[in-house]
Amino acid sequence: MNISLGLEYRHGEWRLCVLEQGKPIEYRSFATGELLAEHISRLCACYPEPALALASQLETGLRPLATFDPGTQVSLSLCTAASAEEHDELQRFLVSLSVYNNHSYCLPSVRYLPSVPAFRKRYRSQMGGSDRLSLAATLLYRMRQREAVWPEMRFLLLDMSSIARHITVIYDGCIIDDCGEKPLTYFSPEQAESEELAMALEEDLRQDLAALIAIHHIEDIVLLDRGYIPAGSTATVPLVNEKMLARLGDLYQVYGFPREASEPEGFECALGAALLADGLDGQGLAAEVTEHLMSLAQAEPFEQDRDKGASGHL
């Protein structure tokens, strides 16, 4: 029986989601890419020819993982800052995956999606990686499960952690804009209860939201709050506290990111990558969402198309 593997690499963290007949059967995190690669090898011994998709912060088009073979010199470009160690670990991981079948892909970053207008790609110096695409896939899949139609899917997808903030614009179920990751260098868990820090976090966020809303005229927000762990605690606390959420609610319609009761926190992106792997290799709802998000996704460097004019939604 075939399975689909969704792999996520983000800020030095490795995650895996395994789908069997469209249903999650495994969620797991790994300390290193080598450990994840070893686990994938064991899975492939039990499930030959799995569909596999990698969501990361690589700046790339839709690309078979076989093209990262050791004999090919591949220059990696990341959408976010990364240390030399992280860069090398990702390089080794990609080479280790190159042995797998033709159903294995490196998913495209936002800049390579045809739904993002070409003129917008010109002035956005930074846009998100395929982790943004995968996160959107999970959200849109769940909305389609609830029989929402594409024209109803217009919102800002706000992803917040103690490390960084990311806002992706969804219009008619397609990604049309993304400002890239914004590091929250001023945030400190030790000072998280400070009123001054809370005000800084809120005003910084409201400025970015206001700018995107002025362009796109979308005032619905879907919030994925990854929270933070206070000093001396093991429990995760929301970054957007009740007071801030109430004030944002006075200005916008704010929805929480939908999560199934059986789904552990933090695997939204890995699940989306597994759904996209399933969609690239199959039929049904996952294939519908994949086609809608990635139809004609660029596989060649974006620079070759800079002068071909605008396309997609405004």
Side-chain angles (χ1 to χ4, degrees):
M1 189 173 292
N2 290 336
I3 60 172
S4 299
L5 310 182
L7 319 178
E8 176 192 2
Y9 174 73
R10 185 172 183 268
H11 293 304
E13 298 178 349
W14 303 85
R15 293 186 177 88
L16 167 71
C17 174
V18 182
L19 300 182
E20 185 176 53
Q21 294 186 317
K23 303 294 183 183
I25 61 171
E26 181 180 358
Y27 293 102
R28 187 173 296 194
S29 58
F30 298 84
T32 66
E34 285 80 2
L35 292 173
L36 173 54
E38 290 173 6
H39 186 70
I40 293 171
S41 180
R42 289 192 292 270
L43 284 173
C44 290
C46 300
Y47 301 92
E49 300 292 312
L52 187 153
L54 170 65
S56 68
Q57 293 164 320
L58 274 175
E59 189 75 277
T60 181
L62 179 63
R63 181 172 183 173
L65 287 168
T67 61
F68 292 96
D69 66 272
T72 304
Q73 293 297 321
V74 178
S75 177
L76 299 184
S77 175
L78 298 178
C79 301
T80 58
S83 66
E85 291 78 10
E86 288 178 308
H87 193 278
D88 291 344
E89 185 177 19
L90 182 56
Q91 179 88 55
R92 292 193 302 271
F93 181 70
L94 289 168
V95 170
S96 73
L97 294 185
S98 66
V99 300
Y100 294 112
N101 59 65
N102 292 328
H103 304 286
S104 302
Y105 298 95
C106 187
L107 295 170
S109 56
V110 171
R111 192 174 295 278
Y112 288 84
L113 297 178
S115 52
V116 180
F119 74 84
R120 191 162 291 139
K121 297 172 184 178
R122 285 179 178 269
Y123 72 84
R124 292 286 189 212
S125 60
Q126 184 183 43
M127 300 183 108
S130 56
D131 55 331
R132 300 301 98 198
L133 172 69
S134 299
L135 186 62
T138 297
L139 177 57
L140 301 186
Y141 183 86
R142 289 185 173 153
M143 294 182 73
R144 288 293 292 127
Q145 282 181 315
R146 300 173 185 181
E147 300 184 350
V149 296
W150 300 118
E152 295 176 345
M153 303 182 195
R154 299 180 181 181
F155 45 80
L156 306 182
L157 176 52
L158 170 60
D159 183 356
M160 294 191 65
S161 73
S162 60
I163 299 174
R165 178 175 70 238
H166 211 123
I167 306 175
T168 304
V169 183
I170 310 290
Y171 188 92
D172 289 359
C174 293
I175 295 176
I176 64 165
D177 199 1
D178 185 284
C179 298
E181 185 175 272
K182 183 173 185 177
L184 298 182
T185 54
Y186 58 85
F187 183 83
S188 168
E190 290 77 14
Q191 301 176 2
E193 299 300 319
S194 158
E195 183 66 21
E196 180 181 305
L197 183 57
M199 292 175 65
L201 190 67
E202 181 175 349
E203 184 169 296
D204 186 21
L205 171 60
R206 287 174 64 171
Q207 284 183 353
D208 288 351
L209 290 174
L212 286 170
I213 289 170
I215 295 171
H216 299 290
H217 310 289
I218 298 173
E219 297 189 358
D220 288 355
I221 298 170
V222 177
L223 171 64
L224 175 59
D225 189 341
R226 299 178 186 271
Y228 69 97
I229 299 177
S233 174
T234 58
T236 301
V237 176
L239 277 162
V240 180
N241 58 38
E242 292 184 1
K243 291 182 179 179
M244 188 190 306
L245 189 60
R247 287 192 290 268
L248 289 174
D250 290 337
L251 301 171
Y252 318 114
Q253 187 70 47
V254 183
Y255 304 90
F257 194 98
R259 178 183 289 116
E260 300 294 336
S262 60
E263 178 191 336
E265 292 185 5
F267 284 84
E268 298 85 2
C269 179
L271 172 58
L275 290 169
L276 292 169
D278 201 31
L280 286 166
D281 194 47
Q283 300 177 353
L285 185 56
E288 177 192 336
V289 171
T290 301
E291 181 179 4
H292 192 79
L293 277 170
M294 291 176 51
S295 179
L296 302 177
Q298 289 173 291
E300 297 299 322
F302 167 72
E303 285 73 16
Q304 296 180 6
D305 297 326
R306 282 189 180 274
D307 295 322
K308 290 186 179 180
S311 61
H313 302 283
L314 300 180

